Amino acid sequence: MKRKLNFLLILTLIFGLQVNAKEPAKIAQASFKKEEVRDVDLITADVGPDEKREKLIGNILRNALETYHYRKLKINEDLSEKAFDEFFKKVDYGKQFFLKGDIKKLNKYKSSMHKEMMSGKHNLVNDSIKILRERVVEVDKIRQEIFKKQFDWSLDESLELDPEKRSFSKNTKALKDHWRKVFKQATLNRYLSLKEEQDDLKNPKKDDKEKKVKKKSKKKEEKVEILTDAQIRKKAHEGISKKYKSFFSRLMKDDRSDYEEKFFNAIALIYDPHTQYLPPKRKEDFDIDISGSLEGIGAVLSEEDPYIKVVKIVPGGAAWRQKGLEVDDLILAVGQETGDFVDLVGMRVDDAVRYIRGKKGTIVKLKVKKADGSRKQVNIERDVVQIGESFAKSSVLEIKGMGLKVGYIHVPKFYRDFENSAINCTADVRAELERIKKKGVDGVILDLRNNGGGALEDAKQMSGLFIEKGPIVQIKNHDGNVDVLNDTDTSVTYSGPLIVMTNRFSASASEILAAALQDYERAVIVGGAHSHGKGTVQAVLNLSHGPLQQLFGSEMGALKVTIQKFYRVTGGSTQYKGVTPDIIIPDPYEYTKSREQDLEYSLPWDRVSPLKFSHWDKNKFDMSTLKKRSGKRVKESKRFTKINESVEYLTKRREDTKISLNIDKVVAEDKKNKEMSEKLKLDEENKDLLVSYYEDSVRMHEDVKKGDEKKWKEDFKTRNEEWTKQLRQDAGLEEALFIINDMIHMQKGKKLTAVK
């Protein structure tokens, strides 16, 4: 990039896709609360404004956005009016709390968000917090009143789940009626779930009996209580009431930074979906995500109201080695080497993990409740945790009777540790290629499905592993200049038949690599109809730099800002349109509205001038024949037929957002959905698919200490079984193997029939 970003900020060129799906479990290191579930009053957090700090952040963000963002928008009255609506989507997306009158009252700030951003006097935020808290208290009182009696599920009522199809409640009466339906629907779902569990206990299936026998052989069988219908209703009733009380309590504990983040990001979103203010805790998570490692204990945590629960122990990590912490443990409190414990009960998981993370070599003390009800303190020495799911993995695949070996490499993201350049996905993929080449593979499948991107440098370098040299991607800067990233290394790590797999969640770096290898005719791209369509590059600007850091420490956060757009060597952008595969196969996620073109304020498609480059002159394939043969297999495949039917069914269900609150209708609908789910279940395994050499790949990122080898082997056995099962159930991967078999036959000069 020709122009330097010298804005008292540290620039790190990155780009990637953050898919806002379900909130993931957090890699953990925790803290302390009370040891029993107890009533929690709606106590508010301290959210007093720090106008000096907020003014400084606002002005830095404004200057950075106006100066460096690709779109060159000014933060003015017009932008404020758009940001106003986005602010309330972030504060109250479900339109669950604010009344129409509240929005009308706050409408006076609609054209002045840009002024508040620069002045630090965030009156919109102040008034919104005040009103929202009043409404939360009000809704909690509604909860207390409504849950004093049982629900009548015989009435013919419905609830609209899509907030886009609803308005804010016009008055308190409408708000109460809305929440009554919310509570009623949640309780009905809980009741039906508990009833199903009880029915299974009364009439256990064969698989359940076998599990029960295995469980009994390990420890004394626990006595299971059979509940009456009245008891089930009461349990569901009390459980949902407690759940929402805890939810409202957490809302009241949102601190100033939570609202500040929503305010600034409402403005940032108008620039494009990938421009984002990252407060300190989000910046920490971002750094972990892009590097694939952190310093902590190596446990994955989730919220199980009101506790923080251990759902996984990372193999080879500190907690795994020290053995005291176990899956299903509830973490009640956390303490450091000195000082008091911090109570975790009722705390959000993303806040809890920050008490557990810490420098390598330091001790964290956890008070936990074990699955058997006992309590224990576990002391763990923190260490570097490598997040195994983030790293590239490989295996050698064979289908019985096919007579060939295929190297399979899965790259979940384009990761790079910018502080330790030795840790990056290009180096790992190179190592995987060298490893599987020694196994005598006939071809390679590089799987970039669900890969949302990552480091720009690795998009270039990884592409270079498969071609001799030449341009990889064109980068158009925010100032209009176009730069070219070239592969200048003439060495080729792998030169044989290559397939790159993509889907609608393959974005950014994945699209650069797929597009480059497609344009060079180096690889056959196989996947769903389109990739995601994110053709933009972001820079992360650290706001806590130089004198700002001295004034505010690390409490300023960062700005992830779109500064560039990238283009294929042929001139067209992958922005908005994505990459169309050479061979299209059914995508199980085709029903989702998750592509770039589905996002508001996404940048449009355009093109720049094409570049001169030399096409790959080895491994030439008759693409027409490959397509026709694949199309015939897909058409005749029962697995792909199921996928197409599943997509059609789920697409229809996606649009049906109004649900019944009548128990008979819900039971009938559940029965229909379960029948369809069973019919369209994609769990069939191709037992003819042989998977080998996975252990070599896994070991590359896991430091197994002396004395831990036996335990690691035992744990790996389960992981290997899960990996193998996952690959055997993958209809897309199976078809890719058939396609590469055709490619290898063509390479060997064998004539293949082109199906009509």
Side-chain angles (χ1 to χ4, degrees), residues 518-522 570 613-618 620:
Q518 185 180 57
D519 292 339
Y520 274 84
E521 298 178 2
R522 171 64 187 93
T570 53
F613 61 96
S614 299
H615 289 92
W616 184 257
D617 57 4
K618 306 180 186 70
K620 290 295 182 180

Side-chain angles (χ1 to χ4, degrees), residues 36-38 242 246 250 304-308 344-347:
E36 300 292 344
V37 179
R38 75 281 194 217
K242 186 177 290 185
S246 179
R250 287 201 300 274
E304 185 168 288
D305 189 52
Y307 294 118
I308 301 299
L344 289 192
V345 178
M347 187 178 289

Side-chain angles (χ1 to χ4, degrees), residues 28-32 334-336 342-344 347-348 350-358 364-366 382:
Q29 291 84 329
S31 101
F32 173 80
V334 62
Q336 309 308 319
V342 177
D343 184 4
L344 289 192
M347 187 178 289
R348 297 179 305 187
D350 56 348
D351 292 329
V353 297
R354 284 168 175 80
Y355 289 99
I356 306 175
R357 291 175 189 160
V364 62
K365 298 181 287 188
L366 306 177
R382 297 178 175 109

Side-chain angles (χ1 to χ4, degrees), residues 62 74 125 167 203 208 265 613 652 744:
R62 188 204 69 171
K74 292 294 181 183
V125 173
S167 300
N203 304 292
D208 294 333
N265 278 327
F613 61 96
K652 289 179 181 178
I744 292 166

Side-chain angles (χ1 to χ4, degrees), residues 202-234:
K202 294 174 186 176
N203 304 292
K205 299 173 185 176
K206 182 180 177 182
D207 290 346
D208 294 333
K209 289 179 180 178
E210 290 176 355
K211 290 177 183 176
K212 196 173 181 180
V213 170
K214 289 181 180 178
K215 185 178 178 182
K216 189 174 181 180
S217 65
K218 291 183 179 180
K219 62 180 182 179
K220 186 177 179 180
E221 183 182 352
E222 297 175 5
K223 186 176 180 180
V224 179
E225 182 183 4
I226 303 297
L227 304 178
T228 64
D229 188 74
Q231 288 173 318
I232 296 172
R233 283 177 175 264
K234 183 180 179 183

Side-chain angles (χ1 to χ4, degrees), residues 633-649:
R633 284 190 299 265
V634 168
K635 187 176 181 180
E636 295 173 351
S637 167
K638 292 181 180 179
R639 299 169 86 181
F640 280 123
T641 298
K642 274 189 178 183
I643 288 174
N644 285 329
E645 290 177 355
S646 175
V647 168
E648 183 180 357
Y649 175 67

Side-chain angles (χ1 to χ4, degrees), residues 263-363:
F263 177 86
F264 290 131
N265 278 327
I267 292 172
L269 177 62
I270 310 306
Y271 281 81
D272 83 303
H274 308 289
T275 292
Q276 182 183 14
Y277 168 61
L278 304 171
K281 58 186 177 182
R282 304 277 181 250
K283 175 62 164 58
E284 180 184 351
D285 289 340
F286 179 84
D287 291 340
I288 290 169
D289 183 63
I290 198 69
S291 69
S293 67
L294 56 83
E295 291 183 349
I297 65 171
V300 179
L301 306 182
S302 69
E303 291 180 34
E304 185 168 288
D305 189 52
Y307 294 118
I308 301 299
K309 182 178 180 179
V310 178
V311 296
K312 181 180 178 181
I313 302 294
V314 178
W320 180 87
R321 289 197 305 271
Q322 294 171 44
K323 301 178 179 66
L325 196 67
E326 299 174 302
V327 170
D328 291 336
D329 282 355
L330 302 176
I331 302 179
L332 308 173
V334 62
Q336 309 308 319
E337 292 181 75
T338 59
D340 296 332
F341 277 84
V342 177
D343 184 4
L344 289 192
V345 178
M347 187 178 289
R348 297 179 305 187
V349 67
D350 56 348
D351 292 329
V353 297
R354 284 168 175 80
Y355 289 99
I356 306 175
R357 291 175 189 160
K359 290 295 182 183
K360 176 182 177 180
T362 59
I363 301 294

